[in-house]
């Protein structure tokens, strides 16, 4: 049972408010595979979708039916041919596909229509609409294989879908498409979701898979990747589902969908964690700087103050007034993670080709993850590019950290005369210097 009065819950709710504001009015395309529909967690996923709808997110759901089709084929003792992991759909198989897709769509609509008291769907009043919004074309003949009624997306009627979203509907799409000649084609849900996100110029494409996200060979979850990094990872990806989802994410990013997410359909709350927490739950692929190190500007003052004030209160950092920070903000370097300042440092140059590295701070939630090294490297490169030969630091609590990174013990007398005059003997800070290349 959640303790709604707990500090952790209150903090989570407060920290989620920027995301609530950022997501309101935006268009998200959610791709739910047939495996997601079968999963025991599907009801929870539907509840979270209802919550997004209530928060003003414009939602398009694309529902797959791969395992449901396979079950019906097995029950009918029909063998289905595949080529390059693509189903060959003849006339008999198409009828089974239509039956499975219709069943999945009906189940999804029913769950989105729930409004039981004492449930997360109470008074949700979600309006769901489906239609012939996707025009398909035959996949044709590939390497001599005729795919018959297997198709691909030809066009998405984005204008009509936007009209429905403007009226507050959740738009539900499936993996069937019709051609101008009246034929029906079996489509890959990934293709429908990707092309829909592109046509709508959606803010996000969110794909649900079995795994939490994309993993390295050593089992490490990749939390965020640029498209170029994702293309590297995809070369060695052996998991078929992960490969499909990454290909969809990359295609969306290439067509200017800002962010593509790959999350688990089996983890309760994965969607909310991905959208309303800074670290998310799965893998994000984006062109934008999800995490970047850069020089600060005047707009960053609030974030820097929020980071350093707790450390000032503990006496770890020297207290700075807002006016002082405004004067010195261009001397600050920072690490920004999804809009939040999680690390900062300032470089104060002196006339003797030396500079002080000051106000070096990493947010407590992100220590021990190499962010300090990342920030220090950036500061050293910045100092080098500005002709600084020696970088010195005054510290009371982190002497060993700087020693381990090439700084050498020094004396107050080794500091520039201007800094010696300002040295606070009451703090008794230790002095360390590093010669830059």
């Amino acid at each position: 049972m959640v303790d709604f009065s707990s500090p952790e819950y209150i903090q989570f709710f407060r920290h989620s408010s920027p995301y609530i504001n950022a997501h309101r009015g935006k268009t998200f395309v959610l791709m739910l595979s047939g495996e997601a529909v079968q999963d025991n967690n599907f009801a929870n996923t539907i509840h979270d979708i209802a919550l997004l709808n209530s928060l003003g997110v414009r939602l398009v759901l694309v529902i797959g039916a791969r395992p449901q089709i396979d079950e019906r084929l097995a029950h009918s003792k029909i063998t289905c041919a595949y080529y390059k992991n693509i189903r060959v759909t003849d006339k008999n198989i198409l009828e089974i596909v239509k039956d499975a897709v219709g069943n999945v769509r009906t189940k999804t609509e029913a769950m989105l229509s729930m409004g039981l008291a004492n449930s997360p769907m109470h008074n949700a009043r979600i309006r769901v609409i489906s239609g012939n919004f996707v025009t398909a074309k035959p996949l044709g003949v590939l390497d001599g294989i005729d795919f018959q009624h297997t198709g691909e997306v030809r066009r998405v009627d984005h204008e009509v879908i936007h009209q429905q979203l403007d009226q507050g509907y959740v738009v539900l799409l499936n993996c069937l498409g019709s051609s101008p000649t009246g034929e029906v084609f079996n489509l890959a849900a990934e293709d429908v979701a990707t092309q829909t996100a592109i046509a709508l110029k959606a803010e996000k494409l969110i794909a649900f898979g079995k795994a939490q996200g994309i993993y390295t060979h050593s089992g490490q979850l990749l939390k965020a990747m640029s498209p170029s990094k994702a293309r590297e990872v995809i070369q060695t990806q052996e998991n078929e589902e992960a490969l499909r989802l990454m290909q969809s994410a990359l295609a969306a990013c290439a067509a200017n969908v800002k962010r593509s997410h790959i999350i688990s359909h089996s983890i309760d709350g994965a969607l909310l964690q991905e959208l309303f927490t800074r670290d998310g739950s799965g893998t994000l692929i984006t062109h934008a700087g999800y995490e970047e190190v850069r020089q600060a500007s005047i707009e960053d003052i609030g974030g820097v103050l929020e980071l350093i004030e707790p450390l000032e209160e503990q006496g770890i950092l020297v207290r700075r007034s807002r006016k002082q920070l405004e004067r010195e903000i261009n001397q600050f370097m920072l690490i920004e993670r999804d809009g939040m300042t999680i690390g900062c440092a300032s470089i104060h140059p002196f006339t003797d080709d030396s500079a002080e590295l000051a106000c070096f701070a990493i947010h407590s939630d992100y220590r021990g993850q190499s962010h300090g090294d990342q920030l220090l490297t950036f500061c050293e490169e910045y100092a080098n590019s500005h002709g600084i030969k020696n970088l010195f630091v005054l510290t009371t609590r982190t002497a060993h950290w700087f020693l381990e990174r090439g700084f050498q013990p020094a004396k107050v007398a080794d500091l520039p005369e201007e800094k010696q005059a300002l040295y606070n003997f009451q703090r008794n800070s230790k002095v360390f210097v590093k010669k830059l290349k």
Side-chain angles (χ1 to χ4, degrees), residues 22-279:
H23 298 333
R24 185 178 295 115
K26 298 296 194 301
T27 300
F28 295 177
V29 176
L30 277 59
M31 198 284 287
L32 289 146
S33 63
E35 289 83 357
V37 176
Q38 283 184 335
D39 196 282
N40 292 332
N41 191 53
F42 186 56
N44 293 326
T45 301
I46 291 292
H47 296 160
D48 295 343
I49 289 170
L51 177 57
L52 290 185
N53 180 69
S54 70
L55 293 174
V57 180
R58 295 153 55 93
L59 295 171
V60 178
L61 309 185
V62 178
I63 308 296
R66 190 174 285 109
Q68 291 83 357
I69 295 168
D70 289 339
E71 286 176 5
R72 283 165 172 76
L73 289 171
H75 181 74
S76 301
K77 297 181 180 180
I78 296 175
T79 302
C80 183
Y82 288 84
Y83 183 70
K84 292 187 177 181
N85 293 318
I86 302 172
R87 191 192 304 274
V88 178
T89 310
D90 62 23
K91 287 185 178 181
N92 293 331
I93 291 174
L94 180 62
E95 294 306 311
I96 289 174
V97 169
K98 289 192 286 187
D99 176 62
V101 169
N103 185 274
V104 169
R105 189 190 75 179
T106 302
K107 176 182 178 180
T108 305
E109 287 179 348
M111 294 192 72
L112 286 166
S113 302
M114 287 193 304
L116 295 174
N118 301 319
S119 80
M121 300 289 288
H122 183 52
N123 285 332
R125 301 185 187 280
I126 296 175
R127 296 185 298 166
V128 183
I129 193 165
S130 301
N132 59 339
F133 304 135
V134 177
T135 302
K137 62 181 179 180
L139 192 57
V141 179
L142 180 62
D143 295 336
I145 306 296
D146 186 355
F147 282 88
Q148 302 182 59
H149 289 278
T150 298
E152 57 185 341
V153 175
R154 177 178 180 178
R155 187 174 66 87
V156 176
D157 195 342
H158 58 91
E159 292 181 354
V160 174
I161 292 176
H162 273 305
Q163 289 172 6
Q164 306 309 316
L165 295 173
D166 290 342
Q167 295 178 47
Y169 283 98
V170 170
V171 175
L172 183 62
L173 304 178
N174 55 49
C175 53
L176 289 176
S178 303
S179 72
T181 59
E183 294 178 276
V184 177
F185 290 96
N186 177 23
L187 309 175
E190 294 84 2
D191 184 30
V192 177
T194 303
Q195 296 307 318
T196 300
I198 293 169
L200 294 175
K201 298 180 180 179
E203 187 79 10
K204 295 178 184 290
L205 169 63
I206 304 173
F208 290 77
K210 184 178 180 180
Q212 186 173 344
I214 303 301
Y215 288 85
T216 63
H217 281 298
S218 60
Q220 178 187 1
L221 176 65
L222 295 165
K223 299 291 288 184
M225 289 185 283
S226 65
S228 59
K229 175 63 176 177
R231 280 189 284 271
E232 291 178 18
V233 173
I234 210 170
Q235 296 301 318
T236 58
Q237 185 58 243
E238 297 177 352
N239 182 281
E240 183 185 327
E241 182 185 58
L243 188 61
R244 292 199 310 268
L245 298 183
M246 287 187 72
Q247 288 169 337
S248 293
L250 281 170
C253 286
N256 295 320
V257 174
K258 291 183 180 179
R259 293 187 170 195
S260 294
H261 304 253
I262 299 172
I263 62 175
S264 173
H265 58 66
S266 301
I267 298 176
D268 187 12
L271 178 60
L272 300 184
Q273 187 180 344
E274 182 71 10
L275 294 177
F276 297 104
T277 67
R278 202 162 301 280
D279 294 329

